[in-house]
Amino acid sequence: MKRLFKDIVSLAFFSFLTFYIFNAFFKLSWKKNIIGDLGDPLLNLFILKHNIDRILNLNFNNFFDTNIFYPYKLTLAFSENLLATSIFILPIYIISQNIVFAYNLFILLNFIFSGFFMYLFSYRFTKNFIASIIAGTIFSFAPFKFTHLGHIHILTTIWIPLIFLFLHKFFEEKKYKFLFFSTLFFLLESLSCGNYMVIIFPFIILMFLFYTFQYKHLAKKYLISFLIFLIISGVFLIPIHYPYIEIKKLYNFERKIHDCIYFSPEIKAFLISYPFTITGKFLQRFIGTHPAQYENTLYIGFIPLISIIFVSFFFINKKIILFRFKKEREGSNILYFPYFEKSRFTPSEFSLFYLIVLFLSFVLLLGPLIFKIKYLKNPFYYFFYYFFPGGKGIRVPSRFFIMFLFASSFLISYFYSLYFKNKFLILLEFLILLEFIPNYIPIYKMSYGGEIPGVYKWLKEKKEKFAIMELPLEDARWWDIPYGQDKGFFYTYFSSYHNKKIFNGCSGYISPLFNHAKYFDFKKLIELAKAINIKYLVIHKDIYRDNPHVFSENMLENLIFIIDNEYKENLIKVFEDEISSIYEIVLRNKHFNSEKLYIKDYNFNIYFEYKNKKEGKLIFVCEEDYPCVLIYVNELYLEYYKNGNLVHKEKILIDPAFHSPFLLKGESFEKRINLPKLKDGEYSVKIKESGKIIGEFKLFVE
């Protein structure tokens, strides 16, 4: 069988397999149904539509300022930017003029080409067609993939095999064109999934180090090559990812270490499978549930799991890690393993490299605590979290499973190609497919039948710029709905249609102001809307009616009663149909300036309560006649003076995520502080922000 024919057959195989698995979807409208669920895919649709609209209109000014989470800036950086995916589906969108259709097609292409490119990678080293098909099957159709059908960025693995394939070709043939191809595919993967950028890059560094130590006489060439890779990647990625650095500064957005621990896998995670497979149903009966369980589906399949365990123990038992160097060809030192001298086989350096990748990815996917055992800290992950760029942006450590899956797919196929005949490999492929192929794929019908509700058509017709707030704010998410589909998650999705600023939103990070507002009573919510210059209040009557398990039976009626009796002059109804009502807020703060939302921009009385020599708290009381809105992190400096001399200075942060970002007159929030070691006596303490004194108090230490 010629190579080209093999490639065509493999591509046809992965296409057929994808079509077979998703056969139910081909009987439905691709424009009115979506693969996955009605959660994150709606956010992804919004992001893709935002990017495509900006690209088609050549509007790149403030590209990361989307229309959700008003009045926050850089809101595209609250989640994955999906820029490469947007460019990839752009031709599909131009032809179909439907973002849902383009999204669905891209999901299918991901499965096809993830398998095909993994096949190409494996065949490069094994030269075995069936073994390479097995590698592609494991990498593209493992249960992990089907659990993440709602996460398009996690599914976008098509570029990973090509990154390493062309890196290997570069090291083998020493041609820079392969380095440039590898860099290109790394950029595509990085702009498809920022998590994967951070996860893959350490292993690229590892590969350069590995080959540098293998071929010391080429160390200078490889160092220069790595710098070229780094410079080209940095030229494109740093400007695009700079907004992520900015939101850390503005809003203190980062994944805390306790978040990583919460979303780390337990031992049972390696037996959590997609529930709609033969083994998935069986395993689900014996595996307990956990709120983070859906993020930690790490089951690789029965045969691949047994295979990778066997392969790992095979190498360990034969003690091949105790290697010595042997010169196999002039000018190169190749790692030599004594065991394979007996079997007449000397593995090349890439097999050892992927054993290292397998080990490191496994250790890192465990997270800060190994199997979440309280006192069993994982030093590898702590090093990655604190010292590797982007380490604090990973919330779910089990994302490293993609590199474990990649290394496993290759090592299994490599081992099979050495010791098994094709007839046996065909049987293994059949058994793997028997376990992998699900008997059900979640497909959800878009709410409102895939049509645009009248309320959003009305908003789109308004040409002026303004902001809206949509009620209810509460999280009635799709997975909480026993009585049908919740439509509240569609605020973000439909905002890409009308393009008006909305206070609401859903994303990887949530605006602190929105998070706090969910717990406001209706009157305070109106005051907030007025304070930040919201023009229209949109009330979705159907969401209140259709979700009695979330909202009380009379909540909608009480809301309308309050509007009609207490806000009759301030809220004027301008639109109504069976689904929604729109009220215009007549009296609002038209001078609202989203650039000035710091403590120093308001009048606060600041008090100090002395608890003991080590601890105290600052109390900030709003004294403005109009409401105070804080959305940015405030860097305050405490200066301690004794006898007029500065004796201590320290910085504290006021984070709106933890301190109320919206205060009416007389309302307050507290900030606990640790006191410096001070001698007994009287101190004058000044609180400054941007050099401006915003508070003073006396401190007596005794």
Side-chain angles (χ1 to χ4, degrees):
M1 198 188 308
K2 292 184 178 181
R3 175 62 194 275
L4 179 60
F5 181 72
K6 289 180 180 179
D7 293 349
I8 294 173
V9 170
S10 68
L11 181 59
F13 172 78
F14 292 119
S15 300
F16 171 79
L17 189 55
T18 301
F19 295 154
Y20 178 79
I21 291 172
F22 290 90
N23 70 89
F25 190 62
F26 287 88
K27 302 173 185 178
L28 304 171
S29 169
W30 285 30
K31 297 181 179 181
K32 296 185 178 182
N33 298 274
I34 192 166
I35 298 170
D37 52 52
L38 295 179
D40 286 340
L42 300 182
L43 169 63
N44 295 330
L45 290 172
F46 162 78
I47 293 172
L48 293 170
K49 185 67 164 55
H50 165 82
N51 293 345
I52 289 173
D53 285 346
R54 289 294 192 97
I55 293 170
L56 290 177
N57 293 316
L58 300 178
N59 180 10
F60 301 105
N61 292 328
N62 302 317
F63 189 89
F64 273 76
D65 289 343
T66 71
N67 56 321
I68 63 172
F69 289 134
Y70 169 84
Y72 286 72
K73 301 184 295 183
L74 303 174
T75 47
L76 182 61
F78 285 21
S79 189
E80 296 282 352
N81 56 64
L82 303 179
L83 283 173
T85 305
S86 303
I87 295 171
F88 192 94
I89 70 171
L90 182 60
I92 305 172
Y93 177 78
I94 292 174
I95 295 171
S96 67
Q97 289 296 303
N98 188 282
I99 195 65
V100 180
F101 175 87
Y103 177 92
N104 287 324
L105 182 57
F106 184 74
I107 295 290
L108 301 184
L109 292 174
N110 256 299
F111 280 94
I112 295 171
F113 285 98
S114 289
F116 178 64
F117 291 151
M118 188 66 211
Y119 154 83
L120 293 178
F121 177 87
S122 178
Y123 193 86
R124 170 78 180 179
F125 303 107
T126 66
K127 298 297 185 290
N128 186 299
F129 177 73
I130 304 300
S132 300
I133 289 289
I134 290 174
T137 301
I138 295 172
F139 183 68
S140 188
F141 298 94
F144 169 82
K145 291 291 191 70
F146 293 105
T147 308
H148 288 281
L149 283 176
H151 299 150
I152 194 172
H153 57 296
I154 302 301
L155 288 179
T156 308
T157 57
I158 52 180
W159 313 117
I160 295 176
L162 296 180
I163 294 171
F164 292 94
L165 174 62
F166 282 99
L167 268 183
H168 281 297
K169 288 173 71 68
F170 165 71
F171 287 119
E172 291 170 13
E173 302 184 30
K174 312 297 186 296
K175 295 180 180 178
Y176 280 101
K177 67 177 181 180
F178 297 127
L179 179 67
F180 294 135
F181 277 123
S182 179
T183 308
L184 171 63
F185 293 124
F186 175 69
L187 290 172
L188 289 173
E189 190 63 50
S190 300
L191 297 178
S192 300
C193 179
N195 275 197
Y196 284 167
M197 173 187 68
V198 178
I199 287 168
I200 293 170
F201 190 59
F203 295 99
I204 293 175
I205 297 175
L206 181 65
M207 179 176 280
F208 274 96
L209 291 174
F210 187 85
Y211 275 93
T212 299
F213 285 119
Q214 289 285 80
Y215 301 88
K216 294 182 179 179
H217 65 288
L218 293 172
K220 183 177 180 181
K221 181 181 181 69
Y222 289 159
L223 178 60
I224 293 173
S225 302
F226 177 70
L227 290 176
I228 292 172
F229 182 96
L230 202 62
I231 291 169
I232 296 175
S233 299
V235 165
F236 289 94
L237 294 179
I238 290 175
I240 292 174
H241 285 89
Y242 183 74
Y244 292 90
I245 301 173
E246 280 291 289
I247 66 169
K248 167 64 177 73
K249 177 182 176 182
L250 292 174
Y251 314 123
N252 198 28
F253 284 168
E254 67 178 15
R255 301 305 184 185
K256 311 302 181 186
I257 196 70
H258 56 78
D259 291 332
C260 300
I261 294 173
Y262 177 81
F263 283 99
S264 295
E266 299 173 343
I267 296 177
K268 64 183 179 181
F270 295 92
L271 293 177
I272 295 176
S273 177
Y274 187 68
F276 303 110
T277 60
I278 293 175
T279 53
K281 284 186 177 181
F282 175 78
L283 290 170
Q284 195 177 47
R285 295 179 183 179
F286 302 98
I287 303 299
T289 58
H290 184 274
Q293 177 177 319
Y294 74 98
E295 292 282 10
N296 291 316
T297 303
L298 304 182
Y299 182 61
I300 197 175
F302 179 74
I303 291 177
L305 179 62
I306 296 299
S307 298
I308 198 62
I309 292 174
F310 176 79
V311 169
S312 300
F313 275 99
F314 175 82
F315 285 123
I316 294 172
N317 289 339
K318 298 303 179 180
K319 300 179 181 179
I320 65 169
I321 55 174
L322 300 175
F323 54 82
R324 61 186 175 84
F325 284 97
K326 176 182 179 181
K327 184 158 279 189
E328 288 197 342
R329 59 180 181 267
E330 188 176 353
S332 65
N333 288 329
I334 304 297
L335 289 180
Y336 167 72
F337 302 94
Y339 171 76
F340 284 101
E341 186 176 29
K342 300 175 184 177
S343 64
R344 297 181 182 178
F345 173 72
T346 303
S348 57
E349 58 270 18
F350 58 81
S351 59
L352 177 61
F353 173 74
Y354 285 104
L355 281 171
I356 298 173
V357 171
L358 186 76
F359 170 76
L360 286 180
S361 58
F362 176 78
V363 172
L364 287 169
L365 69 83
L366 296 176
L369 300 179
I370 297 175
F371 297 125
K372 302 182 79 167
I373 298 173
K374 187 175 182 181
Y375 299 105
L376 200 56
K377 290 189 176 182
N378 184 350
F380 289 92
Y381 196 86
Y382 275 94
F383 177 83
F384 168 78
Y385 179 83
Y386 285 108
F387 299 106
F388 197 84
K392 292 185 178 181
I394 306 281
R395 181 181 65 167
V396 185
S398 57
R399 294 282 190 265
F400 275 96
F401 184 72
I402 195 61
M403 289 305 297
F404 179 84
L405 186 64
F406 176 63
S408 297
S409 303
F410 168 69
L411 288 171
I412 290 170
S413 67
Y414 186 66
F415 183 80
Y416 285 168
S417 68
L418 295 176
Y419 294 101
F420 295 98
K421 295 182 179 180
N422 282 341
K423 289 183 179 179
F424 186 75
L425 295 183
I426 292 172
L427 176 61
L428 287 177
E429 170 69 4
F430 174 77
L431 294 175
I432 291 171
L433 288 176
L434 192 63
E435 181 181 3
F436 276 17
I437 295 178
N439 55 30
Y440 171 80
I441 290 292
I443 300 170
Y444 278 77
K445 186 176 182 179
M446 299 290 281
S447 235
Y448 306 103
E451 302 298 330
I452 306 296
V455 62
Y456 295 120
K457 292 180 179 178
W458 187 90
L459 288 169
K460 184 177 177 63
E461 291 173 356
K462 302 297 178 182
K463 301 303 180 184
E464 69 270 26
K465 296 180 179 180
F466 54 81
I468 67 173
M469 178 185 289
E470 302 189 63
L471 300 182
L473 294 182
E474 291 91 337
D475 286 335
R477 299 189 176 218
W478 65 271
W479 51 78
D480 296 325
I481 308 302
Y483 308 110
Q485 297 176 10
D486 170 47
K487 302 177 183 67
F489 228 77
F490 280 71
Y491 299 161
T492 297
Y493 168 64
F494 283 121
S495 73
S496 66
Y497 170 79
H498 60 72
N499 285 320
K500 301 301 186 291
K501 294 283 187 181
I502 68 170
F503 176 75
N504 315 70
C506 61
S507 194
Y509 291 107
I510 305 297
S511 86
L513 188 58
F514 175 76
N515 259 341
H516 282 269
K518 289 187 294 186
Y519 303 101
F520 290 171
D521 60 42
F522 183 66
K523 294 180 181 179
K524 189 170 183 179
L525 202 59
I526 294 297
E527 291 300 321
L528 170 61
K530 290 163 59 179
I532 61 177
N533 197 23
I534 296 289
K535 184 173 184 179
Y536 293 114
L537 196 65
V538 181
I539 300 176
H540 296 284
K541 297 179 289 185
D542 60 330
I543 297 179
Y544 286 104
R545 289 194 303 253
D546 297 344
N547 298 288
H549 68 297
V550 178
F551 309 106
S552 63
E553 184 177 352
N554 299 320
M555 183 174 288
L556 178 61
E557 288 76 9
N558 292 338
L559 193 62
I560 300 301
F561 179 83
I562 292 174
I563 292 175
D564 291 342
N565 288 273
E566 299 187 36
Y567 292 94
K568 191 172 183 180
E569 296 181 358
N570 291 335
L571 297 176
I572 308 300
K573 185 184 293 183
V574 293
F575 173 88
E576 184 171 29
D577 62 11
E578 288 297 317
I579 295 176
S580 307
S581 299
I582 300 180
Y583 292 86
E584 182 177 356
I585 302 176
V586 179
L587 299 175
R588 57 186 191 277
N589 180 18
K590 296 183 179 181
H591 301 291
F592 173 75
N593 184 354
S594 62
E595 300 294 331
K596 295 184 177 181
L597 299 176
Y598 293 91
I599 288 178
K600 68 179 187 314
D601 299 317
Y602 295 95
N603 180 25
F604 277 94
N605 279 336
I606 305 175
Y607 303 94
F608 175 76
E609 286 190 3
Y610 179 65
K611 189 174 182 181
N612 51 52
K613 285 189 176 183
K614 295 183 178 180
E615 187 180 0
K617 64 180 178 181
L618 298 174
I619 302 173
F620 295 78
V621 182
C622 177
E623 295 298 332
E624 297 284 3
D625 291 329
Y626 53 88
C628 161
V629 183
L630 305 172
I631 68 172
Y632 302 115
V633 171
N634 291 259
E635 293 186 353
L636 307 184
Y637 288 87
L638 298 184
E639 295 180 349
Y640 296 81
Y641 293 86
K642 188 172 186 179
N643 300 324
N645 298 317
L646 178 65
V647 295
H648 182 75
K649 181 179 181 180
E650 66 177 290
K651 181 175 71 174
I652 63 171
L653 298 179
I654 305 296
D655 188 345
F658 302 102
H659 307 99
S660 180
F662 180 72
L663 298 171
L664 300 177
K665 185 174 183 178
E667 293 184 336
S668 63
F669 68 85
E670 299 177 355
K671 169 66 177 180
R672 295 188 178 276
I673 58 172
N674 295 320
L675 297 177
K677 293 183 179 179
L678 301 173
K679 296 180 181 179
D680 291 351
E682 180 180 345
Y683 294 85
S684 173
V685 183
K686 297 180 181 179
I687 307 174
K688 292 183 178 181
E689 183 177 13
S690 302
K692 177 183 178 181
I693 298 177
I694 60 172
E696 290 186 79
F697 59 86
K698 299 292 184 181
L699 174 63
F700 296 92
V701 179
E702 58 182 7

